[in-house]
Amino acid sequence: MERRTFLRATVVGGASAAFGGSLWHGAAYAAPAQPGTGPYGALGSPDANGIRLPAGFSSRVIARSGQTVSGTSYAWHSAPDGGACYADGAGWIYVSNSEINPSGGASAVKFSSTGAITGAYRILSGTRQNCAGGRTPWNTWLSCEEVDRGFVHETDPWGVNAAVQRPAMGRFKHEAAAADPVRKVIYLTEDETNGRFYRFVPTTWGDLSSGTLQVLVAGTATSGSYTWTTVPDPDGSPTTTRTQVSGSKSFNGGEGCHYADDKVWFTTKGDNRVWQLNLTSGTYELAYDDSLVTSGTAPLTGVDNVTGSSSGDLFVAEDGGTMEICLITPDDIVAPFLRIDGQSSSEITGPAFSPDGTRLYFSSQRGTTGSSSGGITYEVTGPFRA
C-alpha cells in the first residue's frame, strides 16, 4: 500500500502530533486521542514474558543471550540488535546482529514451516559492534559496524558462504541499510550527531564489491528537494565521509532505514524524528516529529530500528522511551503496538516479519538485567493486517 504524505495525525494515548515538515502550520489539532483506537486496539496486561499486546496476539521467547537456543547446541549472542527474515523453503530464517565491541558479528535461527526451531548458528565473527543492517534482494544480510570507520559486511543467512567486507560502501559509523531494487541502490544511515544519509550505487546490481558512494545534499529545512553528490573518498581517512561534500545535509543520529513503494524512511534518534524521502518526486519531509506534539505525551520516543508490513504500516522500535514498538499507519495513526514491562534499562531492536507476515521478531537488547549479556529475542504471532 502506498503511504500518503503525512500532514497531521491522530495519536493514540492522550496526545496529538504534527507531521509534514514545513506543511505544518503550528495550530493545535483537536484529534480524538482515546486509548484503544489504533488499528489493533488497546494493549492488554503483561503476558508471561512481560509483553503487553493487543487482543489476539501472543509472544514467545526465541533465544536468550548466553543460553543455548531451544533444540540446538548454539549459545545465542549478547546484545542482539538489527535483524531480518529470509524464506527457507517452507520455513524461514531470522538473522540478528550482536552489538558488542570487540567480537560483534551476527547469528541466525532457522524455523520449520510450523514455526518450530530447527537450528541456530553463527554467520559472522570477528567484527565490531554490529548494530543494524539490511536485507538485500539477493538474500544476503548487510551487517553494519557502528564504530568510527566501520565496515559493512555482506553475510550469508544460511551460514554456507563466508562473510565479505564491503569497503566500497564507505567507512563510517554505519547503522542501517535499505535496498531499492528500482533504482538499484542501497541507502545507508550514519549514527553521528552530524551524520549523513548516503546511497551506494553498485557498478553491477547484486555485486557490492565496487560502486559509488553518494551523500544526500539539501538545505537545512525539514522539507524540500534533494540531490545526490559523490563522496570523493569513501575510505573516510583522513577526512570523514560526512564532511567531504559541501551542502550535504546533517542528520542527528541516523538509525533505522526502510524502503517500500518508491519511498524510504529513516529515523534520527537525536531529535526523535522519522524522515521520508519521496524517491519519485525527489523531495524529503518529516513523517514524525515528537517536538510538534501539541498536547499530552509524545506517543513515540527514542526512535530506532524500523520495518514495514504488507499493510503499509511502519513499525518503529524504541531505544528506551516506554519500551514500545509503535505504529505509523497509512491512515495517519500513531499508536503503540506492544510494550515490554520491567526492562526500562534496555532497548527494542531488530523488528522483522516472517515471509508470510504472520510473525514479528524483535529483541530486548539488555533484557531485565540491563546488561548486554541479558538480551532476549522474541516472536509475536497474531492477526497482523494484510
Side-chain angles (χ1 to χ4, degrees):
M1 178 184 293
E2 182 171 327
R3 182 179 303 277
R4 301 196 308 275
T5 297
F6 292 120
L7 297 180
R8 298 173 179 175
T10 300
V11 176
V12 175
S16 53
F19 298 81
S22 61
L23 298 177
W24 169 248
H25 301 293
Y29 179 48
Q34 297 167 7
T37 58
Y40 293 106
L43 301 184
S45 300
D47 65 10
N49 298 316
I51 300 180
R52 296 178 181 266
L53 292 162
F57 290 86
S58 61
S59 74
R60 68 166 170 160
V61 172
I62 297 303
R64 295 179 183 271
S65 295
Q67 298 183 23
T68 55
V69 178
S70 177
T72 77
S73 59
Y74 183 74
W76 197 235
H77 55 262
S78 295
D81 207 286
C85 281
Y86 299 81
D88 179 47
W92 59 92
I93 295 168
Y94 176 67
V95 301
S96 170
N97 280 344
S98 175
E99 194 187 12
I100 56 175
N101 188 7
S103 296
S107 303
V109 179
K110 186 176 286 192
F111 300 87
S112 72
S113 60
T114 63
I117 295 173
T118 60
Y121 45 90
R122 174 70 61 158
I123 62 172
L124 176 64
S125 300
T127 56
R128 303 173 296 161
Q129 203 160 320
N130 297 76
C131 197
R135 185 181 184 277
T136 69
W138 48 93
N139 289 325
T140 59
W141 168 243
L142 302 180
S143 183
C144 297
E145 290 182 313
E146 189 195 355
V147 295
D148 291 336
R149 300 187 68 236
F151 288 100
V152 174
H153 297 264
E154 187 170 13
T155 66
D156 176 13
W158 285 263
V160 175
N161 299 310
V164 180
Q165 202 174 77
R166 297 301 189 193
M169 300 184 76
R171 297 194 63 184
F172 52 87
K173 191 176 283 189
H174 283 277
E175 184 68 35
D180 176 352
V182 177
R183 288 150 200 84
K184 298 182 179 180
V185 301
I186 308 289
Y187 302 103
L188 301 160
T189 57
E190 181 178 27
D191 193 357
E192 298 275 9
T193 56
N194 62 338
R196 299 304 196 257
F197 189 74
Y198 304 89
R199 73 174 186 180
F200 179 68
V201 186
T203 303
T204 302
W205 186 234
D207 179 357
L208 303 179
S209 62
S210 66
T212 302
L213 182 68
Q214 299 180 325
V215 65
L216 186 141
V217 174
T220 58
T222 54
S223 66
S225 60
Y226 65 87
T227 58
W228 298 99
T229 297
T230 297
V231 176
D233 180 17
D235 186 62
S237 178
T239 304
T240 61
T241 56
R242 64 185 181 278
T243 57
Q244 291 181 28
V245 175
S246 177
S248 59
K249 186 170 179 61
S250 177
F251 292 98
N252 191 350
E255 291 285 340
C257 191
H258 175 70
Y259 167 86
D261 300 323
D262 277 343
K263 297 177 180 65
V264 61
W265 293 269
F266 63 97
T267 60
T268 50
K269 66 182 180 184
D271 47 19
N272 211 58
R273 288 171 166 173
V274 182
W275 299 82
Q276 175 188 279
L277 267 63
N278 186 316
L279 303 167
T280 303
S281 65
T283 57
Y284 70 94
E285 63 184 318
L286 289 175
Y288 175 80
D289 184 357
D290 77 342
S291 72
L292 299 180
V293 171
T294 57
S295 64
T297 302
L300 172 59
T301 57
V303 297
D304 204 299
N305 291 172
V306 59
T307 193
S309 68
S310 59
S311 65
D313 295 328
L314 289 182
F315 286 70
V316 185
E318 290 187 334
D319 179 351
T322 50
M323 283 293 288
E324 292 179 342
I325 293 180
C326 289
L327 294 176
I328 303 177
T329 78
D331 299 321
D332 301 349
I333 301 294
V334 181
F337 170 72
L338 65 80
R339 181 185 307 144
I340 304 177
D341 279 6
Q343 300 186 28
S344 60
S345 295
S346 188
E347 61 184 277
I348 297 180
T349 60
F353 280 94
S354 60
D356 66 1
T358 64
R359 301 168 191 250
L360 175 65
Y361 296 92
F362 61 94
S363 296
S364 171
Q365 189 178 82
R366 296 177 292 279
T368 58
T369 68
S371 166
S372 62
S373 61
I376 309 170
T377 300
Y378 300 95
E379 174 195 83
V380 164
T381 58
F384 289 102
R385 53 191 198 148

